[in-house]
Every structure is written in structure tokens, then in C-alpha cells.
Amino acid sequence: ADGPVSPDDAVRYVDGILEALDYSHKAGVVHRDIKPGNVMVTADGIVKVMDFGIARAVSDSSSTVAETTQIIGTAAYFSPEQAKGEPVDGRTDLYSTGVVLYELLTGRQPFRGDSPVAVAYQHVSETPNPPSEVNESSPGHLDPIVLRALAKDPYQRFPDAASFRAA
């Protein structure tokens, strides 16, 4: 609410998220609802990912986000495949983490609209402006990392949380 955080803090927070996702993905669990409200930073600065309530094992046959007619997740942090009701895997969480990183660096989400459907549509069809174009204090060397995490095609994203962390 107070705007962007420092780039160092943004990287530290996202590193903690990716560490947790690396662990859960190796266990075969996709979170499916990565967003700031599901991330806690303890008093001693440890980042914790919470609320695995809609997480599913990757091998679970019902691991699409379309459940009857209800879409599960939060539209502002949806991956394109979630928005389209397609099957998801760990790269979905990496996309959502990219949205969180974008927001940490710019003070706003990459896509905004009048309704969740409008925002979901943008996740599927729009390319976000690089963070450094939205906030000149955001270091330009992070732009390609954020934009790769936000690639529409899951195969164009980082293949796993460890690769995103390394970048």
C-alpha cells in the first residue's frame, strides 16, 4: 500500500517464496494461489509461504483450476493457464511469483481492470510494461527476469523455482 519496496528487499522476499516453492514442487505440490496475502515475513525476516488450501499434487487428475464453474485462485495473480482453466504445474506458481515481484518493484500489479474477468483476460493476452518503465527506481537488470517469469507460454518461463532463484 505504501508503494514499491527496495529492490534488495524485493529480491529477498521473492527468494524466500521461491525457496518454499522449490521444496513444495519437489514434493509434487503446486500452490496455485501465490499472492502477497499468502506470504508472511516473520519478525526476524524469514519469508514463509502460507495457505496451501487449494494446492494440489501435480499427479492429481483434477489439477486444473476449473472446478465446476468456479475458478480457484486470485485473478490479479493468475497465470494465463489458470485464467483459461487449463492444467497447471509448478510454472503456474512461478508466474504468480513474477506478479508478486513486479508488484514489489513497482508498487502495483502488472494488470489492472474493472473486474476479475478483465484482469484475467490481460494475463492471457497483454504484455506488461517492464518494471523499470513503471518505476524508474526499479533496476533495469531485473526487467528480463520479471518478464521471463511473466511469459504467457509456461515453456518460456523459468523451468523451476531453483532456476528463477539463480537468475
Side-chain angles (χ1 to χ4, degrees), residues 18 22 26 94 158-167:
L18 292 169
D22 189 36
K26 285 179 179 171
L94 303 183
F158 296 99
D160 52 46
S163 300
F164 192 165
R165 284 184 83 189

Side-chain angles (χ1 to χ4, degrees), residues 1-15 17 36 39 41 47 97-109 131-132 134-139 142 146:
D2 293 337
V5 301
S6 75
D8 288 343
D9 283 343
V11 168
R12 186 171 56 83
Y13 295 153
V14 169
D15 184 67
I17 295 167
V39 178
V41 181
V47 177
T97 303
V99 175
V100 172
L101 178 55
Y102 190 102
E103 187 172 7
L104 288 167
L105 292 170
T106 65
R108 69 172 185 87
Q109 298 151 354
S132 65
V134 176
N135 173 17
E136 62 187 31
S137 298
S138 179
L142 291 177
V146 174

Side-chain angles (χ1 to χ4, degrees), residues 80-81 95 123 146-157:
E81 56 272 20
Y95 182 94
H123 280 290
V146 174
L147 295 177
R148 181 171 180 191
L150 295 177
K152 304 302 179 196
D153 179 354
Y155 292 99
Q156 298 301 313
R157 295 180 206 143

Side-chain angles (χ1 to χ4, degrees), residues 1-162:
D2 293 337
V5 301
S6 75
D8 288 343
D9 283 343
V11 168
R12 186 171 56 83
Y13 295 153
V14 169
D15 184 67
I17 295 167
L18 292 169
E19 181 180 20
L21 290 175
D22 189 36
Y23 182 84
S24 71
H25 292 169
K26 285 179 179 171
V29 176
V30 179
H31 189 284
R32 301 181 350 146
D33 197 23
I34 296 295
K35 61 184 178 182
N38 286 339
V39 178
M40 176 179 72
V41 181
T42 66
D44 54 350
I46 304 297
V47 177
K48 306 269 186 182
V49 175
M50 307 177 302
D51 194 4
F52 278 77
I54 66 170
R56 291 272 166 101
V58 173
S59 61
D60 185 339
S61 64
S62 59
S63 64
T64 64
V65 292
E67 305 235 328
T68 60
T69 58
Q70 181 181 14
I71 293 191
I72 295 194
T74 306
Y77 302 91
F78 266 178
S79 68
E81 56 272 20
Q82 280 177 297
K84 294 187 284 185
E86 296 175 352
V88 301
D89 62 20
R91 293 168 297 187
T92 289
D93 289 341
L94 303 183
Y95 182 94
S96 299
T97 303
V99 175
V100 172
L101 178 55
Y102 190 102
E103 187 172 7
L104 288 167
L105 292 170
T106 65
R108 69 172 185 87
Q109 298 151 354
F111 304 114
R112 297 183 286 187
D114 294 335
S115 71
V117 171
V119 174
Y121 176 80
Q122 291 174 62
H123 280 290
V124 171
S125 62
E126 303 290 327
T127 302
N129 291 323
S132 65
E133 288 182 15
V134 176
N135 173 17
E136 62 187 31
S137 298
S138 179
H141 70 273
L142 291 177
D143 287 350
I145 295 166
V146 174
L147 295 177
R148 181 171 180 191
L150 295 177
K152 304 302 179 196
D153 179 354
Y155 292 99
Q156 298 301 313
R157 295 180 206 143
F158 296 99
D160 52 46

